[in-house]
Amino acid sequence: MSRLSRADRPYDIVLFGATGFVGVLTAEYLAAHAPEGLRWAIAGRSAEKLERLRESLPGGDGVGVLEADVADPASMRRLAEHARVVATTVGPYVTYGEDLVAACADTGADYLDLSGEPEFVDLTYVRHDARARETGARLVHACGFDSVPHDLGAYFTVQQLPQEVPLTVDGFVTADAMFSGGTFASALNQFARGRQMLAAARDRARHEPRLMGRRALAPTGVPRFAKEVGSWAVPLPTIDPQIVKRSARALDRYGPDFRYRHFAAVRHLPVAVGGVAAMGALFTAAQLPPARRWMSGRLKPGEGPSPEKRAKSWFSVRFVGEGGGRRVFTEVAGGDPGYDETAKMFAESALSLAFDDLPPTAGQVTTAVAMGDALIERLRAAGITFRVAATR
Ligand SMILES: NC(=O)c1ccc[n+]([C@@H]2O[C@H](COP(=O)([O-])OP(=O)(O)OC[C@H]3O[C@@H](n4cnc5c(N)ncnc54)[C@H](OP(=O)(O)O)[C@@H]3O)[C@@H](O)[C@H]2O)c1
């Protein structure tokens, strides 16, 4: 299917999972920032919830409504056939997400999600990347706080450094924020699937072509006091370093030998130690089904931090890049990372895929590879900071 035939589809963007916590915020963002003439629809499994949401949106009369349930693969196909771009918040993605990826890859619809689940991303690469390349579909995972600030921040940092020399970039994340029931459920699910995650990573490694003549690595760092940012640095084993590494593999601008390390930055040592201990306890408890069930009951899907709490939340990711005799300090920063800014990043990514003049890409691609500069410009205009703090 050619890109041209996609222009005939009834909607530019379909937002699936529009009635969930991030879904509603994304729908509100799109309604408030929709460019003139945007043809978009909200989709989900409950007609009643969708109708209530549509009525609450400014300009809701012009917003389409599509019923779809992940348990019905034909409805996933209908979503893909109705849209140039499908954005989904329906997670945990490893449980609910694959049929929609398959439908988008097969029909040539662009696809984006909020998955921070490495197992899911590796599995869709192995099963759907090749078909998406044939149809021209772009499959872009991790279009929220996982991993937009880190992926685009590393990309932005690389652009401040000399070309064609070995480069190293370290990212240091600081945030003050709460999470939602949906995020908590996805995290618990992921913690319980360590074995499957490793198997999916190995399978991907068997399928992924070798990088010829260049290197792009994302080694796990070691805990240390990082005097360059004045904080304790604790390695963060999220999906973000993997995404940055994939951008570096795809883009020659990252140089012949690129290395990225990803850390949480914590000012006081006891807080760093406490954070590691709490994460370890959560990971251990997630291995035991009764403990997992009990924890899931603490924060229900659909629930999340209040507008007041979100208004006080913030994030900052500082990067230190080095190469060719130059050292650069950059920062990506904004408000509530998990929800308000995630909805903004997600909606702007969907708009970018639908309307920006982007490099020709297809298959599983990262935000930096698919949208790069265009998305940075959109996010800056929407209030997210990308800045060079210092160069040496
Ligand atoms: N850092 C990040 O990038 C980031 C940030 C935030 C969230 N996330 C991820 O985004 C996802 C959503 O989070 P959330 O807090 O918005 O979760 P949520 O409130 O639980 O929303 C989940 C959505 O999925 C829908 N859904 C569930 N089962 C479905 C089915 N069988 N068919 C169709 N739709 C179904 C729900 O529909 P109903 O409304 O009908 O129940 C709801 O719209 C999670 O995976 C989370 O981890 C990532």
Side-chain angles (χ1 to χ4, degrees):
M1 188 162 309
S2 74
R3 284 197 182 279
L4 256 187
S5 66
R6 293 193 299 174
D8 300 333
R9 298 178 188 202
Y11 298 110
D12 298 312
I13 296 172
V14 166
L15 174 63
F16 182 46
T19 53
F21 193 75
V22 194
V24 169
L25 294 174
T26 307
E28 288 172 350
Y29 186 91
L30 280 173
H33 298 87
E36 188 75 28
L38 175 71
R39 302 166 307 148
W40 70 291
I42 49 176
R45 59 180 166 175
S46 158
E48 198 188 317
K49 274 190 178 181
L50 287 168
E51 196 46 44
R52 247 184 290 138
L53 172 62
R54 195 180 65 77
E55 281 169 12
S56 75
L57 295 173
D61 288 351
V63 178
V65 170
L66 298 171
E67 265 183 77
D69 194 308
V70 294
D72 171 14
S75 73
M76 297 298 99
R77 179 95 192 175
R78 274 198 301 280
L79 288 188
E81 286 171 345
H82 276 76
R84 294 169 55 221
V85 176
V86 179
T88 172
T89 75
V90 181
Y93 292 90
V94 79
T95 311
Y96 296 135
E98 191 186 348
D99 285 340
L100 184 56
V101 179
C104 290
D106 204 41
T107 59
D110 290 326
Y111 165 96
L112 67 156
D113 69 25
L114 292 174
S115 172
E117 301 164 38
E119 180 190 353
F120 178 69
V121 175
D122 290 342
L123 178 155
T124 64
Y125 174 81
V126 171
R127 297 186 188 162
H128 306 295
D129 172 74
R131 181 64 182 141
R133 285 173 191 272
E134 284 169 10
T135 62
R138 292 169 289 190
L139 308 178
V140 198
H141 299 285
C143 294
F145 184 65
D146 292 327
S147 300
V148 171
H150 317 105
D151 190 26
L152 292 185
Y155 172 86
F156 176 76
T157 306
V158 163
Q159 286 177 322
Q160 319 305 320
L161 292 166
Q163 303 203 28
E164 290 169 26
V165 295
L167 301 178
T168 64
V169 177
D170 286 344
F172 300 91
V173 186
T174 323
D176 181 359
M178 277 290 291
F179 46 81
S180 70
T183 301
F184 192 49
S186 290
L188 283 182
N189 196 46
Q190 212 177 297
F191 284 166
R193 296 181 62 89
R195 217 163 21 86
Q196 293 92 327
M197 190 173 81
L198 288 176
R202 276 197 296 270
D203 200 24
R204 181 191 187 115
R206 275 195 294 274
H207 284 79
E208 210 160 28
R210 273 176 183 277
L211 194 55
M212 303 301 280
R214 294 175 57 231
R215 284 206 319 171
L217 302 173
T220 309
V222 287
R224 66 189 166 97
F225 184 77
K227 58 179 184 314
E228 61 274 33
V229 290
S231 295
W232 290 90
V234 182
L236 258 189
T238 54
I239 196 171
D240 307 307
Q242 298 178 26
I243 298 279
V244 172
K245 180 175 83 176
R246 279 172 205 145
S247 296
R249 281 176 59 98
L251 299 173
D252 288 344
R253 180 62 182 88
Y254 286 67
D257 191 358
F258 177 81
R259 190 208 64 193
Y260 178 74
R261 293 181 305 185
H262 194 58
F263 299 97
V266 185
R267 206 163 275 269
H268 303 291
L269 184 58
V271 179
V273 173
V276 172
M279 207 43 84
L282 198 61
F283 180 84
T284 308
Q287 311 309 309
L288 311 167
R292 201 162 64 237
R293 273 195 297 280
W294 181 82
M295 288 191 295
S296 306
R298 302 304 94 195
L299 194 54
K300 301 239 168 11
E303 292 175 1
S306 67
E308 296 72 31
K309 172 68 199 160
R310 297 202 310 271
K312 290 189 197 137
S313 301
W314 56 270
F315 77 91
S316 158
V317 192
R318 287 168 292 167
F319 296 89
V320 181
E322 280 189 82
R326 191 173 161 100
R327 193 177 210 208
V328 62
F329 296 77
T330 65
E331 185 187 28
V332 180
D336 171 49
Y339 303 98
D340 292 334
E341 299 296 44
T342 281
K344 182 187 286 179
M345 294 172 205
F346 195 43
E348 291 292 352
S349 299
L351 290 166
S352 181
L353 288 177
F355 297 115
D356 291 344
D357 189 11
L358 299 175
T361 59
Q364 190 184 91
V365 275
T366 63
T367 53
V369 174
M371 294 168 272
D373 298 319
L375 186 54
I376 290 179
E377 282 323 304
R378 280 182 171 276
L379 295 178
R380 274 182 157 157
I384 293 183
T385 300
F386 284 79
R387 72 182 183 108
V388 177
T391 47
R392 277 178 213 149

